[in-house]
Amino acid sequence: MKLLRVDMNSRQVRWEDVPEIYQHLGGRALIARLLLEEIPPTCDALGPHNKLIFTPGLLGGAGVTTAGRLSVGGKSPLTRGVKEANAGGTGGDILGKLGIKAIVIEGQADSGELYLLHVGIDTAELLEANDLKGLGTYATADRLQSKYGADCTVFSIGQAGESLMTGAGIASTGEHEQRSNHAARGGLGAVMGSKNLKAIVIDKPTGKSVQFANAELFLQAMRTYAGKLVNDPKLGKQGTQHLYGTASIVAAVNEMGSMPTRNFSNGNFESSADLRGEHLRELILAREGKVGTRCMPGCVIACRNQLVDEKGMPIVGTLQYETIALIGSNLGIGNLDDVARLNFMCNDFGLDTIETGAALGVALEAGLVQFGDVEGIIALLNQVGEGTPLGRVIGCGAVTTGQVLGIRRVPATLGQAMPGYDPRSLKGNGVTYATSPQGADHTAGNAFGARNQVNPLGIQGQKELSLKLQIIAAMLDSTGLCLFSRPPIIADPQLMVDMLNGIYGWNWTKDDLDHFNRDVLRTELEFNRRAGITVADYRIPEYMCEEPLAPHNVVFDVPESDLDSVFETL
Amino acid sequence: MKLLRVDMNSRQVRWEDVPEIYQHLGGRALIARLLLEEIPPTCDALGPHNKLIFTPGLLGGAGVTTAGRLSVGGKSPLTRGVKEANAGGTGGDILGKLGIKAIVIEGQADSGELYLLHVGIDTAELLEANDLKGLGTYATADRLQSKYGADCTVFSIGQAGESLMTGAGIASTGEHEQRSNHAARGGLGAVMGSKNLKAIVIDKPTGKSVQFANAELFLQAMRTYAGKLVNDPKLGKQGTQHLYGTASIVAAVNEMGSMPTRNFSNGNFESSADLRGEHLRELILAREGKVGTRCMPGCVIACRNQLVDEKGMPIVGTLQYETIALIGSNLGIGNLDDVARLNFMCNDFGLDTIETGAALGVALEAGLVQFGDVEGIIALLNQVGEGTPLGRVIGCGAVTTGQVLGIRRVPATLGQAMPGYDPRSLKGNGVTYATSPQGADHTAGNAFGARNQVNPLGIQGQKELSLKLQIIAAMLDSTGLCLFSRPPIIADPQLMVDMLNGIYGWNWTKDDLDHFNRDVLRTELEFNRRAGITVADYRIPEYMCEEPLAPHNVVFDVPESDLDSVFETL
């Protein structure tokens, strides 16, 4: 495999053998190590010393089902620490097939100029792309696919990333005209914008495939793994996750009193029934939209949906739980069509729906628009695309919005907005938000799935649960696995070990895998420490520790001593 | 002496004997200790756990010339660390005479309500003050003095503080209708706003005076000190500091290439001659305005000025160097009348001219208005008073403005804007900006005065110089002395020791004074450490370490190892 280095200062590209220290790494693990090795930890995240990394997980390209996620990483302008955000689509698969361990964007082109990186089989060139200036991510993908072929993969930023808004993410295309996969979190779209790189186009790697060191070992483990997914009651053809996607959890999160409602001021949303995954599926089927499709090639879970309007015209796909929570209940919106319209706008501007939903929630608390006033909210969000001062504020995320508008109830840790689970009533997630080197990510260690094992309202067992989940998350994000596909690997980690050994010819044991997973967290924590981040930055906001959340009237009360000792056994 | 505690939660006031640990403290020293003892260091600076402290220096009220400054302190919403900002006017003197060691504002009133604290001789009451909502600091002082007497002292916030803008300061009145003394830095006006306290009115303490433990000792030292000030060639009647005030340094700072010009992109301003103190004096005299008046009762330096327009109507007073640099050359403005108009607006809205000038510089670099376009800049600044989204951004200071507008050349350390000396060509100030627990304050350790002893362009000797100056600054800010009045004390610290022993009956030696001064810094550094602030937060911005500054084409290159070891010998 090789690294593709792109120097934006000189506009030169360079292929490089993968250095020894990166050879056993991929995805999130590679990002963490590369940041620690190559980036001054205190550098300006939007300056020339930050690097933006696109890397498949270790399974990328090998044809493992549900394992083709693309990791994007760099120093986050929101958290000031390490950031890995991943997305579905075809990116992880094709980079793996092309034998590209990572594309590393370095330096900064002169401001005012915009570039495009075109990657083919063993080729890469940086091209002037000023004609794409100001385009949304949908139009960017359309224009580039009409030029480079409908089957190429496009990573791009929208207006938000171009304008260095720190709520900006990076969009990736997928099969069948998908344009709405996003490596959304942590402001990596602004990092891409700061490098003056509008898009990356990667040709379909026809005829290229991963070389297996031990194909038999790999295939056996891979087939066993796929079989277990297919037969899993939640993931298989009759499973809630296949049928309703991430939106399947709306009812349960609302019932546990964790559904962000009106800027995290309540854990119950009175119209949550209208936001449920079951209702979403009914709506789509009634209008002849799509359900049960895939965001990644070959996925056997197939939880993707595409909501269409009453005339059958696509609104957005895939509508997911986090968006429903942050753009829906958090803004007092109880209508999926409205959520979908706002979701499309975020996608097009290239905005993280979680960060932007939280920022809008703060803006609504400030009284700019009433909660639930969809047209008012659309007008606010439109300002982000237009780049008005208020739009820029909101585009910079929840913390900036709170500061500018004088609102202290900002649901964020480490500078980044919380996803769709109030930490007061799902305290395991609170521990993750307050300790993960990634900040408040729902994928960094989500305790929702363990709600029947550890009482979400209690403080007992939360720190142990969070650590366990964070270690698993590090593995998922480093191998390219979707969060949904973790049960068979958790039940039998040897499956993962055999797949990796089969591809790479390693002799890993389960202990080696565990060590690898933990090392991701250790590396990230060390980068953050060197970046000057302290426990004060990680803490759950003061108001959440003091203002009880309905309906359970609970505060976040996991002791700081528990938070500070989460990684003692790492 | 006593403490006056004001609990905004219950709207109760309480007189308290001064606790033992605070008895030897005043001004900045008291603020540092009180924060460390009483405030959770990681608390939300705009939340209920922060406290806002008004305290005279240790000499306050004793009639020492040039020693009546009022210190205001709390946790800064800009730096997240300790903040002491001080102002002239009558505040320090009357609090000392009233025997009030400090007024401590605690808790937070319900939002939407505004209050006024009225302090008399041994009385204090908290009154509803919603009629003052939205008033500027001039109108607030006018209204309160017409009600409580022209000789009362008023501390107040303007629209900026009420709106929780983190660039807001606190205004204080002085003798002879002065309304323009400001404890400007660090966003303490927003802290006052967060407590819903619009103003403090303090009756003139007629008949009250400081009780001296040893009046003779005190008087002898005090007279010697005053005599030395009067006879100092720079401070006396023919001295540049009396004649031209702080504006006397314009030519020298420009000549050394340190004058912030167009958002710190140059150290020379082509129109600096028009901004010189000499020119200011000529202008005022020609128009029959005032020069050589006092900001504090009994000051023998008397450097205050009041600029009037061509019809003799007051524009603003006193026009000072930092404002001339940040609102003048930094915005490309080379006309003192224009600077004065903008200064008046900042004062009235209750904004720090340093923070706001830096924020406007960043906004101009973003292209919102051309540098030097005075009417455009006035319109921008007006938006701050109006509270438009863009106005709020600018009102929140330089760092927020840079983030929202996507500008990375932000002249700030520890979240707070730099004063009027570019650290690249006055490297001693760079060391202070990058190490002082107060952040980039010109009063925290200003190397300008030592430019003939330590080469401002070199790196040798800077860390030792900065430490020495920071220790002296801690003494000045804790005793209530003006920065201008330090030479006699530096030459003979026994004068200060004798004055303090004479007032309080202590048996301090010069070593005790030195220990006291150093302990202020130690206490502040400890608070900041507990607040989670690390060296990464203190650093000079990356671009200043890489982009050479004209005319000397120098970067800030004092090694980080020097910065990290400044306090080794504290």
PDB file of all heavy atoms in Angstrom, chain A residues 120-139:
ATOM      1  N   GLY A 120      -6.598   8.617  -9.810  1.00  0.00           N
ATOM      2  CA  GLY A 120      -6.947   7.455 -10.627  1.00  0.00           C
ATOM      3  C   GLY A 120      -6.156   6.252 -10.156  1.00  0.00           C
ATOM      4  O   GLY A 120      -5.641   6.224  -9.037  1.00  0.00           O
ATOM      5  N   ILE A 121      -6.044   5.269 -10.992  1.00  0.00           N
ATOM      6  CA  ILE A 121      -5.252   4.095 -10.617  1.00  0.00           C
ATOM      7  C   ILE A 121      -3.782   4.471 -10.756  1.00  0.00           C
ATOM      8  O   ILE A 121      -3.284   4.701 -11.858  1.00  0.00           O
ATOM      9  CB  ILE A 121      -5.621   2.882 -11.499  1.00  0.00           C
ATOM     10  CG1 ILE A 121      -7.078   2.487 -11.216  1.00  0.00           C
ATOM     11  CG2 ILE A 121      -4.672   1.710 -11.238  1.00  0.00           C
ATOM     12  CD1 ILE A 121      -7.615   1.373 -12.083  1.00  0.00           C
ATOM     13  N   ASP A 122      -3.104   4.599  -9.628  1.00  0.00           N
ATOM     14  CA  ASP A 122      -1.689   5.001  -9.568  1.00  0.00           C
ATOM     15  C   ASP A 122      -1.427   6.401 -10.124  1.00  0.00           C
ATOM     16  O   ASP A 122      -0.291   6.720 -10.471  1.00  0.00           O
ATOM     17  CB  ASP A 122      -0.797   3.986 -10.299  1.00  0.00           C
ATOM     18  CG  ASP A 122      -0.904   2.594  -9.688  1.00  0.00           C
ATOM     19  OD1 ASP A 122      -1.049   2.524  -8.448  1.00  0.00           O
ATOM     20  OD2 ASP A 122      -0.865   1.613 -10.440  1.00  0.00           O
ATOM     21  N   THR A 123      -2.455   7.211 -10.249  1.00  0.00           N
ATOM     22  CA  THR A 123      -2.235   8.588 -10.699  1.00  0.00           C
ATOM     23  C   THR A 123      -2.918   9.562  -9.747  1.00  0.00           C
ATOM     24  O   THR A 123      -3.877   9.188  -9.064  1.00  0.00           O
ATOM     25  CB  THR A 123      -2.832   8.842 -12.105  1.00  0.00           C
ATOM     26  OG1 THR A 123      -4.264   8.768 -11.999  1.00  0.00           O
ATOM     27  CG2 THR A 123      -2.335   7.842 -13.118  1.00  0.00           C
ATOM     28  N   ALA A 124      -2.407  10.760  -9.719  1.00  0.00           N
ATOM     29  CA  ALA A 124      -3.062  11.806  -8.923  1.00  0.00           C
ATOM     30  C   ALA A 124      -2.626  13.149  -9.461  1.00  0.00           C
ATOM     31  O   ALA A 124      -1.461  13.347  -9.803  1.00  0.00           O
ATOM     32  CB  ALA A 124      -2.680  11.692  -7.451  1.00  0.00           C
ATOM     33  N   GLU A 125      -3.555  14.057  -9.556  1.00  0.00           N
ATOM     34  CA  GLU A 125      -3.191  15.414  -9.966  1.00  0.00           C
ATOM     35  C   GLU A 125      -4.090  16.433  -9.279  1.00  0.00           C
ATOM     36  O   GLU A 125      -5.245  16.166  -8.961  1.00  0.00           O
ATOM     37  CB  GLU A 125      -3.275  15.574 -11.492  1.00  0.00           C
ATOM     38  CG  GLU A 125      -4.613  15.210 -12.064  1.00  0.00           C
ATOM     39  CD  GLU A 125      -4.678  15.315 -13.590  1.00  0.00           C
ATOM     40  OE1 GLU A 125      -3.784  15.935 -14.195  1.00  0.00           O
ATOM     41  OE2 GLU A 125      -5.647  14.771 -14.164  1.00  0.00           O
ATOM     42  N   LEU A 126      -3.480  17.592  -9.071  1.00  0.00           N
ATOM     43  CA  LEU A 126      -4.198  18.675  -8.416  1.00  0.00           C
ATOM     44  C   LEU A 126      -4.574  19.685  -9.493  1.00  0.00           C
ATOM     45  O   LEU A 126      -3.716  20.153 -10.242  1.00  0.00           O
ATOM     46  CB  LEU A 126      -3.277  19.317  -7.364  1.00  0.00           C
ATOM     47  CG  LEU A 126      -3.922  20.108  -6.242  1.00  0.00           C
ATOM     48  CD1 LEU A 126      -4.911  19.264  -5.445  1.00  0.00           C
ATOM     49  CD2 LEU A 126      -2.826  20.612  -5.301  1.00  0.00           C
ATOM     50  N   LEU A 127      -5.854  20.017  -9.572  1.00  0.00           N
ATOM     51  CA  LEU A 127      -6.348  20.852 -10.657  1.00  0.00           C
ATOM     52  C   LEU A 127      -7.028  22.092 -10.103  1.00  0.00           C
ATOM     53  O   LEU A 127      -7.666  22.041  -9.049  1.00  0.00           O
ATOM     54  CB  LEU A 127      -7.372  20.062 -11.486  1.00  0.00           C
ATOM     55  CG  LEU A 127      -6.847  18.730 -12.042  1.00  0.00           C
ATOM     56  CD1 LEU A 127      -8.013  17.855 -12.492  1.00  0.00           C
ATOM     57  CD2 LEU A 127      -5.891  19.014 -13.208  1.00  0.00           C
ATOM     58  N   GLU A 128      -6.930  23.165 -10.808  1.00  0.00           N
ATOM     59  CA  GLU A 128      -7.641  24.395 -10.440  1.00  0.00           C
ATOM     60  C   GLU A 128      -9.153  24.125 -10.537  1.00  0.00           C
ATOM     61  O   GLU A 128      -9.606  23.421 -11.438  1.00  0.00           O
ATOM     62  CB  GLU A 128      -7.193  25.498 -11.412  1.00  0.00           C
ATOM     63  CG  GLU A 128      -7.780  26.858 -11.154  1.00  0.00           C
ATOM     64  CD  GLU A 128      -9.046  27.070 -11.954  1.00  0.00           C
ATOM     65  OE1 GLU A 128      -9.042  26.806 -13.175  1.00  0.00           O
ATOM     66  OE2 GLU A 128     -10.049  27.487 -11.334  1.00  0.00           O
ATOM     67  N   ALA A 129      -9.896  24.632  -9.574  1.00  0.00           N
ATOM     68  CA  ALA A 129     -11.336  24.318  -9.544  1.00  0.00           C
ATOM     69  C   ALA A 129     -12.154  25.520  -9.117  1.00  0.00           C
ATOM     70  O   ALA A 129     -13.135  25.384  -8.384  1.00  0.00           O
ATOM     71  CB  ALA A 129     -11.576  23.144  -8.599  1.00  0.00           C
ATOM     72  N   ASN A 130     -11.757  26.685  -9.586  1.00  0.00           N
ATOM     73  CA  ASN A 130     -12.488  27.884  -9.166  1.00  0.00           C
ATOM     74  C   ASN A 130     -13.927  27.905  -9.667  1.00  0.00           C
ATOM     75  O   ASN A 130     -14.770  28.616  -9.110  1.00  0.00           O
ATOM     76  CB  ASN A 130     -11.743  29.141  -9.627  1.00  0.00           C
ATOM     77  CG  ASN A 130     -10.461  29.342  -8.836  1.00  0.00           C
ATOM     78  OD1 ASN A 130     -10.433  29.092  -7.628  1.00  0.00           O
ATOM     79  ND2 ASN A 130      -9.395  29.745  -9.515  1.00  0.00           N
ATOM     80  N   ASP A 131     -14.207  27.097 -10.673  1.00  0.00           N
ATOM     81  CA  ASP A 131     -15.581  27.041 -11.182  1.00  0.00           C
ATOM     82  C   ASP A 131     -16.533  26.383 -10.187  1.00  0.00           C
ATOM     83  O   ASP A 131     -17.745  26.492 -10.330  1.00  0.00           O
ATOM     84  CB  ASP A 131     -15.625  26.287 -12.518  1.00  0.00           C
ATOM     85  CG  ASP A 131     -15.120  24.861 -12.377  1.00  0.00           C
ATOM     86  OD1 ASP A 131     -14.029  24.665 -11.766  1.00  0.00           O
ATOM     87  OD2 ASP A 131     -15.810  23.934 -12.831  1.00  0.00           O
ATOM     88  N   LEU A 132     -15.972  25.699  -9.195  1.00  0.00           N
ATOM     89  CA  LEU A 132     -16.832  25.040  -8.204  1.00  0.00           C
ATOM     90  C   LEU A 132     -17.122  25.938  -7.006  1.00  0.00           C
ATOM     91  O   LEU A 132     -17.867  25.558  -6.103  1.00  0.00           O
ATOM     92  CB  LEU A 132     -16.174  23.745  -7.702  1.00  0.00           C
ATOM     93  CG  LEU A 132     -15.845  22.686  -8.754  1.00  0.00           C
ATOM     94  CD1 LEU A 132     -15.121  21.514  -8.110  1.00  0.00           C
ATOM     95  CD2 LEU A 132     -17.123  22.203  -9.446  1.00  0.00           C
ATOM     96  N   LYS A 133     -16.536  27.134  -7.020  1.00  0.00           N
ATOM     97  CA  LYS A 133     -16.659  28.027  -5.867  1.00  0.00           C
ATOM     98  C   LYS A 133     -18.118  28.325  -5.544  1.00  0.00           C
ATOM     99  O   LYS A 133     -18.897  28.668  -6.419  1.00  0.00           O
ATOM    100  CB  LYS A 133     -15.917  29.342  -6.169  1.00  0.00           C
ATOM    101  CG  LYS A 133     -15.278  29.989  -4.967  1.00  0.00           C
ATOM    102  CD  LYS A 133     -14.407  31.188  -5.364  1.00  0.00           C
ATOM    103  CE  LYS A 133     -12.963  30.774  -5.646  1.00  0.00           C
ATOM    104  NZ  LYS A 133     -12.065  31.911  -5.899  1.00  0.00           N
ATOM    105  N   GLY A 134     -18.448  28.162  -4.273  1.00  0.00           N
ATOM    106  CA  GLY A 134     -19.785  28.515  -3.829  1.00  0.00           C
ATOM    107  C   GLY A 134     -20.854  27.474  -4.099  1.00  0.00           C
ATOM    108  O   GLY A 134     -22.019  27.688  -3.773  1.00  0.00           O
ATOM    109  N   LEU A 135     -20.468  26.336  -4.690  1.00  0.00           N
ATOM    110  CA  LEU A 135     -21.471  25.299  -4.952  1.00  0.00           C
ATOM    111  C   LEU A 135     -21.728  24.471  -3.696  1.00  0.00           C
ATOM    112  O   LEU A 135     -20.838  24.219  -2.890  1.00  0.00           O
ATOM    113  CB  LEU A 135     -20.996  24.355  -6.057  1.00  0.00           C
ATOM    114  CG  LEU A 135     -20.918  24.891  -7.480  1.00  0.00           C
ATOM    115  CD1 LEU A 135     -20.617  23.738  -8.437  1.00  0.00           C
ATOM    116  CD2 LEU A 135     -22.237  25.572  -7.889  1.00  0.00           C
ATOM    117  N   GLY A 136     -22.954  24.010  -3.555  1.00  0.00           N
ATOM    118  CA  GLY A 136     -23.285  23.058  -2.513  1.00  0.00           C
ATOM    119  C   GLY A 136     -22.704  21.688  -2.837  1.00  0.00           C
ATOM    120  O   GLY A 136     -22.189  21.447  -3.939  1.00  0.00           O
ATOM    121  N   THR A 137     -22.810  20.783  -1.873  1.00  0.00           N
ATOM    122  CA  THR A 137     -22.182  19.472  -2.086  1.00  0.00           C
ATOM    123  C   THR A 137     -22.915  18.645  -3.148  1.00  0.00           C
ATOM    124  O   THR A 137     -22.297  17.853  -3.846  1.00  0.00           O
ATOM    125  CB  THR A 137     -22.114  18.666  -0.777  1.00  0.00           C
ATOM    126  OG1 THR A 137     -23.438  18.368  -0.332  1.00  0.00           O
ATOM    127  CG2 THR A 137     -21.380  19.433   0.309  1.00  0.00           C
ATOM    128  N   TYR A 138     -24.232  18.842  -3.285  1.00  0.00           N
ATOM    129  CA  TYR A 138     -24.964  18.075  -4.304  1.00  0.00           C
ATOM    130  C   TYR A 138     -24.535  18.517  -5.698  1.00  0.00           C
ATOM    131  O   TYR A 138     -24.221  17.693  -6.567  1.00  0.00           O
ATOM    132  CB  TYR A 138     -26.478  18.246  -4.132  1.00  0.00           C
ATOM    133  CG  TYR A 138     -27.029  17.547  -2.903  1.00  0.00           C
ATOM    134  CD1 TYR A 138     -27.134  18.218  -1.690  1.00  0.00           C
ATOM    135  CD2 TYR A 138     -27.450  16.217  -2.960  1.00  0.00           C
ATOM    136  CE1 TYR A 138     -27.651  17.588  -0.561  1.00  0.00           C
ATOM    137  CE2 TYR A 138     -27.957  15.573  -1.842  1.00  0.00           C
ATOM    138  CZ  TYR A 138     -28.058  16.269  -0.634  1.00  0.00           C
ATOM    139  OH  TYR A 138     -28.557  15.641   0.478  1.00  0.00           O
ATOM    140  N   ALA A 139     -24.509  19.829  -5.901  1.00  0.00           N
ATOM    141  CA  ALA A 139     -24.138  20.333  -7.222  1.00  0.00           C
ATOM    142  C   ALA A 139     -22.680  20.017  -7.542  1.00  0.00           C
ATOM    143  O   ALA A 139     -22.323  19.736  -8.694  1.00  0.00           O
ATOM    144  CB  ALA A 139     -24.374  21.840  -7.285  1.00  0.00           C
TER     145      ALA A 139
END
